[in-house]
Amino acid sequence: MRKLLIISLFTLAACPLESEDRAPAWDRQRAVIGPIELKDRVAYVDTARDRAVIVDASAPRPAVRTARVGRNAVFAAPTPDRGMLAVLTRGEEAVLDGQIDQEPRLYLVDPTSTAAPLEYEIGSPFDRLAIAEDGSVAVAYFSSGGFDADTGVFRNPNELAIVDLRAPPGDDNPTLRTVRSFGAAPDGVVLSPPMAVMGAPDETAGPRVFAYVLAPNTLTVLDTANPGSREVSVRLDTAGALVRPREIAFAPATGTAYVRSDNARDVLALLMTWEEPTSDTDNDFQLAAAELGAGAGPADVAVYDDLSGRRFVLAAMPGTRQVAVIDGDTAAFVTVPTPDAVDRVLLFPSGPNAVPRVAVLAALGQRVPRVHMLSLEGIHDELVPVDLRTIALEEPVLDIVAVPGAESAMIVHDDARTVLGLLDVRIGSVAPLLGVGRLDTYDFDDQGRFLVGATRDAARVGFLELGNLHPSDLPLDGPPARVFALTGGAVYVDHGDPYGRATIVPEPGARRDESTVVSGFLLAGYLDEDF
Amino acid sequence: MRALVTALGVIAAAGGVASANEYELGMGMGVRRMGSASVDALSADDRHLSTAVGGAIALPGFELWGLGLEIDAGYEHAGVTGTTFQTIESDLSVHVIRVGARLRYAVSPRVSVYGRAGLDFHRARLELTDVSGSAVSLADDAHGGASSLGVGVDLGGRHRPGKRVTLGVRLSLDYTVGTGMTFDAQPAGGPGGANTIPVDAAQLGSVDISGWRAHIGAFARF
């Protein structure tokens, strides 16, 4: 009887102690996508915890909020105005206990709201996303390396999902399409700003976003407002050589896209003109293609409107050491010989409503110690002589970057990015700047008032007031990985920590005790997670 | 260590007011099963070894329907380690001070059973370390309280005249209901001095160590 009692007690003791398996989700591989700069916030996506984490740097005390997204996030990007975060997830198939059946989805996260993100089922496990400049349309597609064997047996690399971001998700939103292929898979998708169709009779054929699918030897155009209509394919390889479209500049008011391609001799202009559709799947436009006579393979193009609204295309042709200024309406062009093989063109002033007066030309491939400034005023007037000035520098030019909102450009002189220069385009002067280490990460504020930069080897962040070139810096408590100059003036220093660690400086020049280190924000709520 | 000294102090203080042959000192080990979801973030196995020392004193003046009353106190340590998301190594160390009362019934001269009610005070330290070493390790301390109810059986150890010390074996099972212990994502190195940039640590959430606890141990009565 006593033995029985003891055995019973042992049994009783053992029963409730049997371990329960935790959900398999706890053993998933974890990766962090980001940081991604939004207006006054910075976002990350945690692929193991299925959530977007947003650090709000606008408040005196930084705030962290999270938003649920789907399983297996693969890509995240801000909308062009940096107001929203778009996240692509591949979903999951319920094979093991704890897994769920979930379709691939696109999530649209509003970083200022606590509301649940908008979610669109996109049908296939795409891994890249293009978003229109006005945020109205997104196109999800496969990258060349985007096939994950765990997501299926077959993959159609020419499939796209066209998502109307201004309409709720539904059976007809998004629309899945497979674009016509001539044996190649797309390299990328570029969405136009809302473009007019020339000659359209009424509002129904008004401006809309077109998707340009770039593939070797082929450019395909889709009307995203009528995603069921036929696509238009433009063959680029009629001369025999492999032609790869690389860059598209748009003239939305005239319905024109200018395409620069590798191995192409000219800039291709594609003009949209209205035509009466003959069926439901017919387009209400046709494409007229014209080769703008650059005369040699363009390495860089820039598009601008002059004061009278005429559109010009600037094409740099390093092969012939020329720059072509092409009238977008008439295709008439002027070629300007340049001393170097120019492969980078920057226009100043820049901005949505600015009329550029000067083009800064650089030969990055040649690594020569000079840049050139080409006056654009009256360049098509035969009576006005071409004004091309050469600015001699001490060191070769490896890169040149326009400062947003200012008529200046930052010049990088060495591979280590320790020797820099600031070109004042109004005067043509260059102020040298010396860094203590490699400029691994940098950003300009929206108004072009200061440059913020850092090197990963040094635990400090540097500031440069662009008005008077006064440098200052702030010692940090850890090495930086990325810096962002956020809207509102705060400087965000991400330390590249998978648990989340960032230093928020309220403004350039602020002291250490006015700054804040946000620690462990990617693990916020980690212990309360319930898969 | 401080908790251990405190526990022994409680026992010593209790011994000062009791009569002879009614003291108890014991030690043992056991298994805790923290059944709450919060432990999933730390380890795949929700059972964890614990070790304990403690003491008790019988109150000879109390006897009701054949039941004896004892007051006990002790110290217990439990550790939880594991890896989550294949990269986050967790180490939760829990120190527990337990006080309680036992009602004992002698089934036979060598076997007695008891029921126990008690209060626990927890102090825990959580450390999270990245396997690749690319993250600043996080560590934080938290504390909480719990109440427990349990049963146990003692084999041997019953006082016999002429024997100064008797030994016994104890098996016990109890269930603990605790308050969650809330942890923040503080850097493991601490603030690092007065001149460091102020740290705003995110809240990691809370660990609830409620659950079953089985224990086996040896004790001595004198």
Side-chain angles (χ1 to χ4, degrees), chain A residues 31 42 109 138 155 175 193 259 282 285-286 348 426 457 497 531:
Chain A
V42 176
V109 182
R155 182 188 69 143
T175 305
V259 184
D282 193 18
F285 67 91
Q286 62 176 352
F348 294 94
R426 290 166 301 183
D457 299 331
D497 189 317
F531 284 112

Side-chain angles (χ1 to χ4, degrees), chain B residues 175-196:
Chain B
Y175 189 81
T176 301
V177 179
T179 57
M181 294 180 289
T182 303
F183 294 92
D184 290 337
Q186 299 283 357
N195 294 325
T196 54

Side-chain angles (χ1 to χ4, degrees), chain A residues 68-153:
Chain A
R68 278 269 175 213
V69 296
R71 296 276 167 110
N72 294 314
V74 287
F75 185 79
T79 52
D81 67 353
R82 299 196 178 279
M84 305 278 272
L85 176 72
V87 182
L88 278 181
T89 65
R90 285 193 148 154
E92 191 171 70
E93 290 171 306
V95 177
L96 302 173
D97 280 346
Q99 291 183 328
I100 56 171
D101 277 318
Q102 189 181 78
E103 289 293 310
R105 287 178 181 159
L106 165 66
Y107 289 82
L108 210 56
V109 182
D110 181 352
T112 63
S113 165
T114 54
L118 262 180
E119 51 186 77
Y120 299 86
E121 294 201 352
I122 53 175
S124 285
F126 300 107
D127 67 333
R128 287 293 180 273
L129 188 73
I131 306 174
E133 191 179 287
D134 64 348
S136 62
V137 177
V139 172
Y141 61 99
F142 287 108
S143 69
S144 56
F147 183 49
D148 181 353
D150 291 338
T151 59
V153 178

Side-chain angles (χ1 to χ4, degrees), chain A residues 17 22 26-27 517 519 526, chain B residues 40-41 46-47 85-86 185 200:
Chain A
L17 293 169
R22 66 176 177 181
W26 288 107
D27 296 312
V517 172
S519 170
Y526 170 67
Chain B
D40 286 345
D46 48 16
R47 293 173 303 180
F85 299 139
Q86 304 182 36
D200 189 344

Side-chain angles (χ1 to χ4, degrees), chain A residues 187-223:
Chain A
D187 286 334
V189 174
V190 177
L191 296 183
S192 73
M195 293 237 291
V197 175
M198 303 309 290
D202 54 36
E203 286 288 312
T204 57
R208 73 204 85 153
V209 173
F210 291 89
Y212 291 74
V213 184
L214 314 183
N217 292 329
T218 311
L219 182 70
T220 305
V221 182
L222 272 169
D223 182 356

Side-chain angles (χ1 to χ4, degrees), chain A residues 10, chain B residues 110 112 153-157 167-171 215-220:
Chain A
F10 268 115
Chain B
R110 290 187 179 173
S112 63
V153 57
D154 287 353
L155 306 176
L167 300 176
V169 174
R170 171 170 300 146
L171 304 168
H215 211 76
I216 184 166
F219 61 89

Side-chain angles (χ1 to χ4, degrees), chain A residues 184-508:
Chain A
D187 286 334
V189 174
V190 177
L191 296 183
S192 73
M195 293 237 291
V197 175
M198 303 309 290
D202 54 36
E203 286 288 312
T204 57
R208 73 204 85 153
V209 173
F210 291 89
Y212 291 74
V213 184
L214 314 183
N217 292 329
T218 311
L219 182 70
T220 305
V221 182
L222 272 169
D223 182 356
T224 64
N226 303 294
S229 61
R230 286 198 300 267
E231 71 269 36
V232 178
S233 299
V234 181
R235 296 296 297 268
L236 305 173
D237 59 340
T238 51
L242 179 76
V243 176
R244 255 197 154 98
R246 290 294 187 197
E247 186 180 1
I248 304 181
F250 295 100
T254 57
T256 311
Y258 301 95
V259 184
R260 180 185 73 78
S261 307
D262 288 351
N263 291 332
R265 287 181 56 81
D266 297 309
V267 174
L268 181 68
L270 295 172
L271 174 68
M272 296 201 171
T273 54
W274 188 81
E275 72 166 6
E276 183 77 40
T278 56
S279 67
D280 288 346
T281 59
D282 193 18
N283 291 299
D284 64 352
F285 67 91
Q286 62 176 352
L287 277 183
E291 285 186 295
L292 301 185
D300 196 12
V301 293
V303 176
Y304 72 96
D305 294 327
D306 72 0
L307 274 173
S308 63
R310 284 169 70 194
R311 173 137 304 227
F312 291 96
V313 180
L314 239 76
M317 300 168 295
T320 56
R321 298 197 174 212
Q322 287 178 321
V323 169
V325 186
I326 307 163
D327 186 324
D329 296 332
T330 64
F333 65 90
V334 173
T335 53
V336 179
T338 55
D340 301 314
V342 171
D343 52 11
R344 176 65 59 84
V345 179
L346 297 177
L347 301 179
F348 294 94
S350 60
N353 300 314
V355 177
R357 297 189 311 275
V358 176
V360 173
L361 313 174
L364 306 182
Q366 261 188 300
R367 299 192 168 199
V368 290
R370 54 188 169 266
V371 293
H372 312 280
M373 290 172 53
L374 175 66
S375 172
L376 301 175
E377 290 173 328
I379 190 146
H380 263 267
D381 190 338
E382 291 177 359
L383 299 177
V384 177
V386 172
D387 179 9
L388 180 70
R389 290 170 57 198
T390 296
I391 299 169
L393 305 167
E394 294 289 320
E395 303 280 347
V397 178
L398 271 67
D399 197 8
I400 182 165
V401 183
V403 177
E407 287 191 56
S408 55
M410 187 178 76
I411 299 173
V412 180
H413 287 299
D414 62 340
D415 283 329
R417 279 183 276 176
T418 58
V419 185
L420 309 172
L422 198 70
L423 169 67
D424 187 332
V425 176
R426 290 166 301 183
I427 301 168
S429 63
V430 178
L433 301 168
L434 297 177
V436 294
R438 177 187 166 91
L439 188 67
D440 289 312
T441 171
Y442 66 88
D443 197 10
F444 297 99
D445 78 319
D446 292 344
Q447 287 84 41
R449 288 178 297 124
F450 62 87
L451 162 71
V452 51
T455 175
R456 292 198 175 96
D457 299 331
R460 56 179 63 231
V461 58
F463 308 105
L464 184 72
E465 281 187 59
L466 297 174
N468 58 11
L469 299 183
H470 172 64
S472 60
D473 66 79
L474 182 78
L476 302 170
D477 289 340
R482 291 282 299 275
V483 295
F484 299 112
L486 301 179
T487 303
V491 174
Y492 187 95
V493 183
D494 177 78
H495 293 284
D497 189 317
Y499 296 167
R501 185 172 171 80
T503 303
I504 298 173
V505 185
E507 58 185 356

